[in-house]
Every structure is written in structure tokens, then in C-alpha cells.
Amino acid sequence: MFSDFVTQMLTTLADLGYFGVAIGLAIEIIPSEIVLAYAGYLISKGEINYFGAIAAGTFGILIAQLILYWIGAYGGRPFLLKYGKYLLIHERHIDVAEKWFNKYGAGVIFTGRFIPVIRQAISIPAGIAKMSYAKFIFYTLLATIPWSVLFIFLGERLASNWAQIDEAAAPYVKPVGAIAVIVIIAYIAFSMYRKKKRA
């Protein structure tokens, strides 16, 4: 069961409707899957509609990732090492995200969203590397939309039992994470083949 703080925060956000969903995801004090599942619960109560919730969820997550991108671009690693803990991002998150980004390139902005630890900080090295906004937003939206759809759908199905989202999502998230890793490997193999062919 969630803490009183989380419950109170979600109740407050619910009073703001779609704006509350977007804000809750943008500030990312509460994990995105919890906010999205709660949005699904609000749908089951008829307080908001499905497509509006997806739009608000997608927008909120995009803003959160752009903030991390800007922190990486303008604050860099020193800023994150000093203040990252306030964003619930620790040095190990930054280390792993940088390693993956440097090794796998821009494509990991999409696939990394489905992998624990990586998804928490993958936007940071993209900012540090000054990845183009267009490419960053494209890959982020490509991953964010299905992520939002999944957890909102499950939250709606669970209704008043939305707090059980971790158990309900596990059968979906683990296979998606495995597929994401396979996609990364395929992307690397294809890139190496293309470079070899050009040479």
C-alpha cells in the first residue's frame, strides 16, 4: 500500500483533472506508472476520459524528460552529482545511463524507457551530448505513448484496486524490457553491418 503522502498527492492531482495528471508526471515525485494507473482509476469513475488521460500522460512525461535533458545540457554531470538526489537520480543511474547512451547511441532513448534504472536517467546523457531536440522528442514520444496507454489501461481495469498496479503490470513490463534489449542488440548489429558495408 502506498504512503499517506502519495495518496494525498494523488487525491490533490485528481482534483485538477487532466492538468493534475500532466503535472504529476512532469514533476515526477511519484513514479509515472503509479500516476498513470491512478489516471486509469479516474477513468473507471467517469471523472476523465481515456484519450484525454493518454494525452495528459504523454505530455507530462515528455516535459519531465525534457527537464532532465536540459539539466544534462546546461548543468552537466557536476550539477547532477550535487543535486541529483533531490530528483531521485543517483550517481549509479547516471553512470549506467551514460554507458548505455555512449555504447548504443540515440536509439537507446526509445528502448531505455522500458528498462529499469536506465529509464530513470537516460535523458541526461542525451542532454550532455546535445542530441537534437527533434530526434530526442521523437524517440521519447515513441516510447512514452505505449507506456502511458499500458498503465492507464491497467489502472482502468483494476479500478478501485489500482494500487496493485505493480503486480498487474509485471507480466507486460518484463517481456517488453526483454524485447527492448533485443531491439538494442539488433540495432547495434545493423549499425555495424552498415559501417562495414560502407568501408
Side-chain angles (χ1 to χ4, degrees):
M1 189 58 65
F2 301 117
S3 67
D4 291 339
F5 169 77
V6 171
T7 302
Q8 183 58 49
M9 179 67 74
L10 290 171
T11 302
T12 301
L13 294 173
D15 293 337
L16 300 175
Y18 301 112
F19 183 69
V21 173
I23 288 295
L25 291 163
I27 60 177
E28 213 166 4
I29 294 175
I30 305 171
S32 63
E33 52 268 38
I34 296 175
V35 177
L36 291 168
Y38 194 76
Y41 166 59
L42 294 178
I43 293 172
S44 72
K45 292 174 63 179
E47 296 187 14
I48 59 176
N49 69 60
Y50 195 75
F51 294 105
I54 293 173
T58 300
F59 179 75
I61 294 175
L62 176 61
I63 293 301
Q65 296 309 313
L66 280 170
I67 290 171
L68 292 176
Y69 175 97
W70 291 326
I71 289 174
Y74 300 108
R77 191 179 181 90
F79 177 91
L80 289 158
L81 291 178
K82 188 173 183 179
Y83 300 107
K85 60 185 178 182
Y86 300 110
L87 301 171
L88 304 181
I89 294 175
H90 303 286
E91 186 173 3
R92 68 185 180 90
H93 297 138
I94 302 169
D95 289 340
V96 174
E98 278 191 328
K99 181 180 178 181
W100 278 61
F101 186 83
N102 293 332
K103 188 173 183 179
Y104 303 128
V108 79
I109 296 298
F110 167 73
T111 53
R113 303 289 178 201
F114 305 100
I115 302 172
V117 179
I118 297 295
R119 69 168 173 259
Q120 292 173 285
I122 194 59
S123 298
I124 294 169
I128 293 174
K130 299 295 195 300
M131 180 180 178
S132 75
Y133 278 117
K135 187 176 289 187
F136 176 79
I137 291 173
F138 173 75
Y139 282 122
T140 299
L141 288 177
L142 203 62
T144 297
I145 292 172
W147 182 263
S148 298
V149 170
L150 171 62
F151 283 95
I152 290 173
F153 170 75
L154 292 176
E156 182 188 16
R157 293 288 299 275
L158 289 169
S160 60
N161 296 315
W162 66 271
Q164 299 174 9
I165 188 62
D166 286 344
E167 294 87 344
Y172 301 92
V173 174
K174 290 180 180 178
V176 168
I179 292 171
V181 172
I182 292 172
V183 169
I184 289 175
I185 294 172
Y187 173 78
I188 294 170
F190 176 74
S191 297
M192 292 176 64
Y193 170 76
R194 190 168 58 180
K195 287 179 181 178
K196 187 176 180 181
K197 190 173 182 180
R198 287 177 180 175

